[in-house]
Amino acid sequence: MRQPRLLLEAGACGAIAHSFPLLDLDKRIGKEKVELILGVKPFKKIDFTLMEEPIFHVLNDNFKKEFKKLLPYTYCYRYAKDFKSTELKKWNSMDIYLCRNVAIEYYGNHVVIDNYEYVEYGKNKVYMKIPTSIQSYSELVKVFEFRDAIADMLSSSIDVEGNRKDYREMLAKPEHDRKKTILSDFDNPDLLIEIKKLFQQDVNDKQQFWMDVMNTVGITVDEEKNYSDDEMKEILHLSDTVFDKCNQFILFEDLQALENAPYLIELFQELQIDIEHFNLNSLENISLTKYLEAQLDECMATYKKQYATYLYDQMKGLEIQQKQ
């Protein structure tokens, strides 16, 4: 049976929670109202000590990178209500560690937390136990208890339950499905771009574009690395001509600009990818429709003039009756 929400907000594991008399109430009632009416105090902090330094799980580093990528998507649901950016700061400061084993001492008792339970220790630091049998991140995110625990951490850290289910489901989705979900839920193509910058201010427009290109061709990207031009060119196996032209002429701050189109087309042809595939892996969608329409109009105008000139040359020596 799930622990009462008033206890889980402190990150209490089951073994500790059950050492107290529990009051099972609807979590929507609110902590303040429960304390005012019933005199029942919620856990705000549980004092314990680590019996030994936790041993990190093999997936810990991978999870930290993935969690950082997840936050902009979950924050989309809070952005409009987080007027002072307090929730943004709380989520940005969360420091979660996946561990093989977490042993704590609580009032003289030795407690080993169960799989997918977690404890908060110190300021913003959270230790969560993960089974050693799970060796891949793709396998881990399929586990409901894991996703539910992460959603619990996000919700409890800001004391808002409303989008818990959204956080849980978002964690299991690949990048392109997360993007589709946000576009569907908010119908604002610029929202994710704005929020991404709040979480990754060190990634400029040019870096983000080339990282999206690398994702599109199936290259694993280190989100924390600042790639040099030479590194990106070598990783993508691009010719000097195409890469240099893209860096010189593409307006990275406005990928939709018509003048970008010829260079994007040349780049995608060399990499053998298409616009649709790129859009599934990028923050900002690209459309070539206006460019191609302009090219078609230009061709039609050119050939219309040529056709008129041809008709004139053919008919200028003819009698009026023949012209008719």
Side-chain angles (χ1 to χ4, degrees):
M1 180 178 177
R2 184 174 179 78
Q3 298 302 318
R5 181 67 188 154
L6 296 180
L7 298 179
L8 284 180
E9 283 185 342
C13 69
I16 294 178
H18 282 293
S19 67
F20 286 83
L22 303 181
L23 187 61
D24 192 3
L25 297 174
D26 190 323
K27 57 193 174 188
R28 292 173 296 182
I29 295 177
K31 295 179 294 186
E32 292 79 8
K33 189 178 294 185
V34 170
E35 185 172 359
L36 178 64
I37 298 175
L38 300 177
V40 177
K41 295 181 179 294
F43 280 179
K44 293 185 181 296
K45 196 69 177 178
I46 297 176
D47 294 323
F48 62 86
T49 57
L50 291 172
M51 296 193 65
E52 57 188 26
E53 196 67 25
I55 301 174
F56 296 147
H57 195 279
V58 66
L59 297 177
N60 182 59
D61 290 342
N62 193 4
F63 164 75
K64 282 186 169 296
K65 293 178 182 178
E66 293 298 325
F67 184 70
K68 184 178 179 182
K69 291 162 64 175
L70 170 73
L71 287 178
Y73 294 94
T74 55
Y75 188 64
C76 285
Y77 295 93
R78 301 301 311 159
Y79 180 56
K81 301 175 183 178
D82 189 19
F83 303 113
K84 296 182 179 180
S85 299
T86 54
E87 297 176 10
L88 171 68
K89 293 173 184 176
K90 286 182 179 179
W91 282 2
N92 246 336
S93 63
M94 290 182 72
D95 196 10
I96 304 172
Y97 295 87
L98 303 189
C99 306
R100 293 165 51 188
N101 186 62
V102 182
I104 61 177
E105 185 176 343
Y106 173 70
Y107 283 99
N109 296 317
H110 180 194
V111 177
V112 177
I113 70 172
D114 292 332
N115 290 329
Y116 308 113
E117 288 187 334
Y118 64 91
V119 290
E120 295 180 10
Y121 186 72
K123 187 177 181 180
N124 301 320
K125 189 172 289 188
V126 180
Y127 294 113
M128 181 179 183
K129 184 182 177 184
I130 302 296
T132 55
S133 58
I134 294 183
Q135 293 292 303
S136 71
Y137 187 74
S138 59
E139 181 184 4
L140 180 61
V141 294
K142 293 178 183 178
V143 179
F144 176 86
E145 290 80 5
F146 169 72
R147 301 198 313 272
D148 197 46
I150 297 298
D152 184 75
M153 294 179 201
L154 291 171
S155 297
S156 63
S157 66
I158 60 175
D159 289 324
V160 177
E161 276 290 331
N163 299 105
R164 180 191 178 91
K165 181 180 178 182
D166 296 307
Y167 308 153
R168 186 173 62 225
E169 292 179 351
M170 193 68 74
L171 183 58
K173 294 178 180 179
E175 193 84 6
H176 59 271
D177 283 344
R178 289 176 180 175
K179 180 181 175 183
K180 287 180 181 178
T181 301
I182 295 302
L183 289 174
S184 174
D185 287 353
F186 296 96
D187 194 27
N188 179 2
D190 296 326
L191 176 63
L192 195 55
I193 297 173
E194 295 173 17
I195 291 178
K196 189 79 172 180
K197 290 178 180 178
L198 294 178
F199 282 91
Q200 295 183 332
Q201 295 180 0
D202 56 325
V203 179
N204 59 38
D205 295 318
K206 174 184 169 183
Q207 277 275 322
Q208 187 63 60
F209 171 78
W210 287 114
M211 288 165 66
D212 290 341
V213 170
M214 286 190 277
N215 275 324
T216 303
V217 298
I219 296 170
T220 301
V221 174
D222 185 348
E223 299 282 347
E224 298 181 358
K225 182 174 181 178
N226 187 16
Y227 291 92
S228 68
D229 285 354
D230 288 339
E231 285 176 320
M232 290 187 289
K233 182 167 57 178
E234 182 178 352
I235 290 171
L236 290 167
H237 303 293
L238 281 172
S239 64
D240 291 343
T241 303
V242 171
F243 186 79
D244 292 343
K245 278 199 295 185
C246 287
N247 276 344
Q248 183 176 356
F249 296 111
I250 288 180
L251 302 175
F252 294 105
E253 69 278 6
D254 183 16
L255 290 179
Q256 293 283 19
L258 289 180
E259 51 264 51
N260 291 338
Y263 309 107
L264 292 172
I265 291 172
E266 187 175 4
L267 170 66
F268 290 171
Q269 285 177 338
E270 178 155 329
L271 292 173
Q272 297 183 329
I273 58 178
D274 56 35
I275 295 293
E276 183 178 3
H277 193 191
F278 174 82
N279 286 342
L280 287 175
N281 292 276
S282 68
L283 282 175
E284 185 173 356
N285 283 358
I286 295 174
S287 174
L288 297 179
T289 302
K290 290 184 179 179
Y291 172 77
L292 295 176
E293 287 176 347
Q295 290 291 100
L296 181 60
D297 290 342
E298 185 177 335
C299 286
M300 291 176 65
T302 299
Y303 284 112
K304 188 175 182 179
K305 290 179 182 178
Q306 291 180 352
Y307 182 61
T309 302
Y310 168 78
L311 287 179
Y312 175 78
D313 290 339
Q314 292 294 314
M315 300 175 69
K316 63 182 179 181
L318 300 178
E319 298 293 335
I320 294 178
Q321 290 181 341
Q322 292 176 305
K323 292 179 181 179
Q324 293 176 340

